[in-house]
Amino acid sequence: MVIRESSAIWKGNLAKGTGTMRLGSGAYEGVYTNASRFEEGPGTNPEELVGAAHAGCFSMFLAALLSKAGHVPTSIATTAKVHLGDGPRITLIELSTVGDVPGMDEKTFIKIAEEAKKGCPVSQALAAVDISLAARLV
């Protein structure tokens, strides 16, 4: 079993406080604030990190499914838009992916992309959230 660890520190109240989030590998550490999360202030936020994790997981899982089907992708590029609504609560994640997959037709690519959306571990962990998918080939 693989275990990954990340950490966060928050100092102060919600409105004026600040924090840092750090990946356990040390590959990323960033500041977050009330403004970076709920407005357009500088810094990162948990939803951005969730989006990056989801886009990365989905892309890898899609590449695995495509390869298993005999179509090794040249590239998979995915973005994830994480919507933070009232509550606050994540209300929607919009995945958008573009694949460069030699010899594959778009209908089959979309079918396999839908399987990846359902099967990737981050999608499964976020099953309580609506997840949409737009998929196309270059």
Side-chain angles (χ1 to χ4, degrees):
M1 177 199 307
V2 177
I3 298 173
R4 300 292 183 218
E5 181 177 308
S6 294
S7 60
I9 297 173
W10 184 263
K11 295 179 181 179
N13 67 18
L14 177 62
K16 303 279 186 199
T18 62
T20 57
M21 292 185 282
R22 182 178 189 281
L23 301 182
S25 65
Y28 172 81
E29 183 171 334
V31 173
Y32 70 117
T33 65
N34 187 62
S36 70
R37 188 164 193 201
F38 300 111
E39 300 167 15
E40 294 299 322
T44 191
N45 56 70
E47 291 72 30
E48 252 181 355
L49 297 176
V50 166
H54 201 177
C57 181
F58 172 84
S59 294
M60 289 179 75
F61 202 81
L62 178 54
L65 292 179
L66 290 167
S67 297
K68 185 177 178 183
H71 297 279
V72 176
T74 302
S75 68
I76 303 290
T78 305
T79 60
K81 293 181 181 178
V82 178
H83 296 244
L84 185 63
D86 292 337
R89 175 179 174 273
I90 294 175
T91 58
L92 172 67
I93 298 173
E94 294 178 275
L95 294 175
S96 178
T97 193
V98 178
D100 183 355
V101 188
M104 175 156 277
D105 65 274
E106 190 134 351
K107 183 178 177 182
T108 304
F109 178 73
I110 291 169
K111 179 179 179 271
I112 294 174
E114 284 291 342
E115 290 175 31
K117 181 185 89 167
K118 292 177 185 130
C120 97
V122 173
S123 288
Q124 291 180 36
L126 299 171
V129 176
D130 287 333
I131 301 169
S132 69
L133 174 64
R136 67 180 177 86
L137 289 172
V138 290

